[in-house]
Amino acid sequence: MNSYNELKKVNEKIHNLGHLGAITSWDQQTMMPSGSNEARSKAMAEFTVLMHQLSTDPKIADLLAEASSEDLNETEKASLREMKRSYDLSTVVPEDLVKAKSLAGSKCEHAWREQRPNNDWKEFLNNFEEVLKLSREEASIRSSKLGLTPYDSLVDLYEPGMTTEKLDKIFSDVRGWLPSLIESIVEKQKSINIFEPKGPFSVEKQKELGLKVMAKLGFDFTRGRVDISSHPFCGGVPEDIRMTTRYDESDFVQSLMGIVHETGHARYEQNLPKEFLGLPAGTARSMGIHESQSLFFEMQMGRGRPFLESIHKDIIAAFGDSEEFKIDNLVSIYNRVEPGFIRVDADEVTYPAHVMLRYEIERDLINGKLEARDIPEVWDEKMKMYLGLDTRGNYRQGAMQDIHWTDGSFGYFPSYTLGAMYAAQQFATVEKLHPNVNESIANGDYSQAFSWLRENIWQKASLLSTDELIKKATGESLNPEFLKKHLMKRYL
């Protein structure tokens, strides 16, 4: 057996064991009793070390060197490239740091679930400072090996090839037009009379509606399920997707779009190429591309009038045919622009402001220009600058609102706005190829959009670089102008 095939076996083994880790992590966030967290955290830390040992086995380096001289086709060469990247990223960080970071992250994340509702920044900070210290240590090691700044070395984990220099240029452009656009849209929408849906909306009715919409969007329930968690996410592995959402009996609006959003992530995972399952080349290209799929579903399609028309009967069947559920009113509700505190509840116009705020803070945290204790003050300054909101003393809706920093996922936030830009560029391409796509969506036929995604994004997985992927799919590299045009067209 040649070295490339040996590498395939090693990576498939890592994937199969990773499946168990993914389901254990899902259970920890959804169904695990709170008193079990300490034992689970220790078990997960040991599992993380085991996975690290498998992923950094020195024999992989030998196999990679040998495989590079074998007669491989272009697809196999791309697969080998991703195996090497995965190995290089894994071998940079020492085993004891991997374990320490896992334990600190589990402790911080679990405690955050009680500290956030209690607005307890002081106790949160005790755990978070350790997470930050270990994350800085990891970033320092990665930066020295990769020749990048500490923060860029973490961004590269989520967005291969992306740097602060590129991000600063992209976000500088957005800062130039976003504040005035928000102001113009808010002013325009003052004349729109919205009838607020009046609850309660039972959790069972919301679940039933969500499952119907997931089915319409093509979710494969034989290879996945949806449950409840405090922070919606899509986890698991392509063969076993674990989606979560949350419900509010006073407001069905956000939970429904949360379902649409996470289904976008799930469809991407469920449609990755089966022939590369278990290999790095068979995984999602980047977090930005992953987020582009959820935002293609939620923002480009989901909040648009055509899609809302396609599920209008289902909404009426769930909650009744009263004034607030008329299609015009629903469109107004789902396209309302209003600066708010919570990122996950933000409309698509103000959302980039939330991301830029977090990007600027975590960049400075990792690069040592900001300390954890100073986050609330800086957060409030930026919240006032970007959205005109005061968060002094409001940690629950301010610096404690997101889960990602609790386990040291720094470098992740830029992916959200990059994803919005990729999604706008992708949907514009679909509209150009299929001028009647919105009419088809209104009639409940999403096949034109999904066929394009399957062929150009889902089935390509990580066989191409991010730039190659988007350029081949849309005809050009990432162009933030598509997002600007989309927002102006929909809202002005």
Side-chain angles (χ1 to χ4, degrees):
M1 180 177 290
N2 63 23
S3 296
Y4 176 76
N5 286 330
E6 280 289 329
L7 285 167
K8 285 179 63 176
K9 290 180 66 176
V10 171
N11 280 277
E12 286 165 357
K13 180 178 181 179
I14 292 171
H15 170 77
N16 290 335
L17 289 172
H19 184 168
L20 300 179
I23 300 307
T24 303
S25 177
W26 160 82
D27 174 75
Q28 190 173 24
Q29 297 183 64
T30 55
M31 299 184 179
M32 184 192 76
S34 60
S36 304
N37 188 66
E38 184 177 353
R40 177 65 58 85
S41 296
K42 290 179 180 178
M44 287 299 291
E46 291 294 344
F47 183 79
T48 302
V49 170
L50 173 62
M51 293 295 288
H52 185 260
Q53 291 171 343
L54 286 171
S55 302
T56 59
D57 189 332
K59 79 172 185 180
I60 296 177
D62 296 333
L63 290 171
L64 286 167
E66 293 164 6
S68 65
S69 61
E70 291 176 349
D71 185 20
L72 305 178
N73 60 38
E74 290 305 309
T75 302
E76 289 170 335
K77 287 178 182 177
S79 179
L80 182 65
R81 178 198 70 217
E82 292 304 309
M83 289 180 190
K84 185 176 188 308
R85 171 179 161 78
S86 179
Y87 181 73
D88 289 344
L89 291 175
S90 298
T91 53
V92 167
V93 183
E95 185 179 300
D96 59 344
L97 179 55
V98 171
K99 184 173 183 177
K101 192 162 179 269
S102 175
L103 285 169
S106 291
K107 180 181 179 181
C108 185
E109 187 268 332
H110 186 72
W112 166 84
R113 295 181 184 279
E114 291 187 3
Q115 291 161 354
R116 186 196 170 200
N118 294 330
N119 201 42
D120 193 347
W121 170 258
K122 183 179 179 182
E123 287 302 314
F124 172 77
L125 187 60
N126 289 335
N127 292 329
F128 180 66
E129 285 183 324
E130 179 66 13
V131 172
L132 177 60
K133 186 191 86 169
L134 295 170
S135 297
R136 282 174 168 173
E137 188 177 336
E138 177 188 352
S140 176
I141 293 170
R142 290 189 181 281
S143 67
S144 63
K145 293 286 181 70
L146 300 175
L148 300 170
T149 66
Y151 182 67
D152 283 354
S153 74
L154 298 185
V155 171
D156 190 66
L157 293 171
Y158 304 102
E159 290 298 314
M162 186 56 68
T163 64
T164 302
E165 183 180 1
K166 294 176 183 177
L167 288 169
D168 286 344
K169 184 177 180 181
I170 290 170
F171 290 148
S172 176
D173 175 68
V174 175
R175 282 189 211 97
W177 53 261
L178 185 63
S180 60
L181 180 63
I182 293 173
E183 188 177 332
S184 297
I185 294 170
V186 170
E187 184 62 32
K188 179 184 177 183
Q189 292 190 349
K190 285 180 180 178
S191 63
I192 299 175
N193 188 24
I194 295 179
F195 298 95
E196 298 292 346
K198 298 178 179 63
F201 306 102
S202 75
V203 169
E204 283 308 310
K205 286 287 187 183
Q206 291 189 62
K207 280 184 180 178
E208 184 181 333
L209 175 61
L211 291 172
K212 280 184 181 179
V213 172
M214 287 173 69
K216 285 175 180 284
L217 291 171
F219 183 86
D220 183 354
F221 287 97
T222 69
R223 295 189 296 138
R225 56 180 286 150
V226 60
D227 293 278
I228 297 174
S229 69
S230 60
H231 189 97
F233 67 90
C234 179
V237 293
E239 313 96 306
D240 190 2
I241 289 294
R242 300 304 172 100
M243 241 176 73
T244 71
T245 190
R246 59 186 174 191
Y247 300 103
D248 181 349
E249 290 200 341
S250 66
D251 177 19
F252 82 94
V253 171
Q254 293 300 333
S255 68
L256 179 57
M257 278 303 142
I259 283 282
V260 174
H261 180 98
E262 300 303 336
T263 302
H265 283 304
R267 288 295 318 273
Y268 187 15
E269 289 289 327
Q270 290 183 334
N271 285 274
L272 289 167
K274 290 183 173 57
E275 62 268 30
F276 287 97
L277 197 59
L279 302 180
T283 59
R285 175 59 254 173
S286 74
M287 287 311 303
I289 296 298
H290 222 311
E291 197 62 26
S292 77
Q293 300 312 284
S294 59
L295 295 178
F296 188 107
F297 273 57
E298 181 196 357
M299 298 301 185
Q300 296 298 315
M301 273 183 49
R303 293 176 186 266
R305 186 184 188 96
F307 180 78
L308 291 170
E309 287 180 352
S310 76
I311 64 169
H312 189 215
K313 290 181 179 178
D314 299 307
I315 294 174
I316 290 173
F319 305 124
D321 193 12
S322 54
E323 189 68 31
E324 60 263 37
F325 296 117
K326 301 296 184 186
I327 187 64
D328 287 344
N329 195 58
L330 284 172
V331 171
S332 294
I333 289 171
Y334 275 112
N335 289 278
R336 176 166 40 194
V337 174
E338 186 176 12
F341 294 106
I342 305 299
R343 174 186 64 85
V344 295
D345 293 337
D347 56 83
E348 65 175 330
V349 183
T350 60
Y351 197 100
H354 288 270
V355 172
M356 290 189 292
L357 176 153
R358 288 158 174 77
Y359 159 69
E360 291 164 10
I361 291 176
E362 69 175 20
R363 176 196 63 199
D364 291 347
L365 278 173
I366 296 300
N367 287 337
K369 296 180 179 179
L370 182 69
E371 295 303 324
R373 62 180 177 272
D374 300 320
I375 292 175
E377 182 181 351
V378 178
W379 187 287
D380 183 60
E381 289 173 2
K382 292 183 181 295
M383 205 67 168
K384 287 173 181 171
M385 178 179 71
Y386 280 124
L387 294 169
L389 298 174
D390 188 335
T391 59
R392 285 174 295 179
N394 185 3
Y395 310 114
R396 181 176 64 84
Q397 291 183 304
M400 287 179 69
Q401 67 178 268
D402 284 299
I403 196 172
H404 302 303
W405 285 347
T406 64
D407 67 355
S409 296
F410 296 102
Y412 182 92
F413 278 114
S415 301
Y416 286 118
T417 289
L418 292 174
M421 292 173 177
Y422 285 128
Q425 193 162 331
Q426 291 165 24
F427 197 79
T429 303
V430 174
E431 287 183 311
K432 185 176 180 180
L433 290 170
H434 303 288
N436 67 331
V437 65
N438 286 301
E439 182 181 339
S440 297
I441 290 172
N443 292 324
D445 178 5
Y446 318 134
S447 60
Q448 290 174 327
F450 292 166
S451 293
W452 187 89
L453 289 174
R454 185 178 294 107
E455 179 182 347
N456 293 280
I457 306 296
W458 300 343
Q459 287 291 298
K460 294 294 188 290
S462 286
L463 292 168
L464 302 171
S465 70
T466 308
D467 187 57
E468 289 170 341
L469 176 70
I470 201 69
K471 192 181 292 184
K472 191 168 184 179
T474 69
E476 61 179 297
S477 298
L478 175 64
N479 184 350
E481 193 67 19
F482 282 100
L483 178 62
K484 180 181 178 182
K485 287 179 179 177
H486 160 70
L487 296 177
M488 293 183 74
K489 178 182 177 183
R490 175 170 287 179
Y491 297 95
L492 293 179

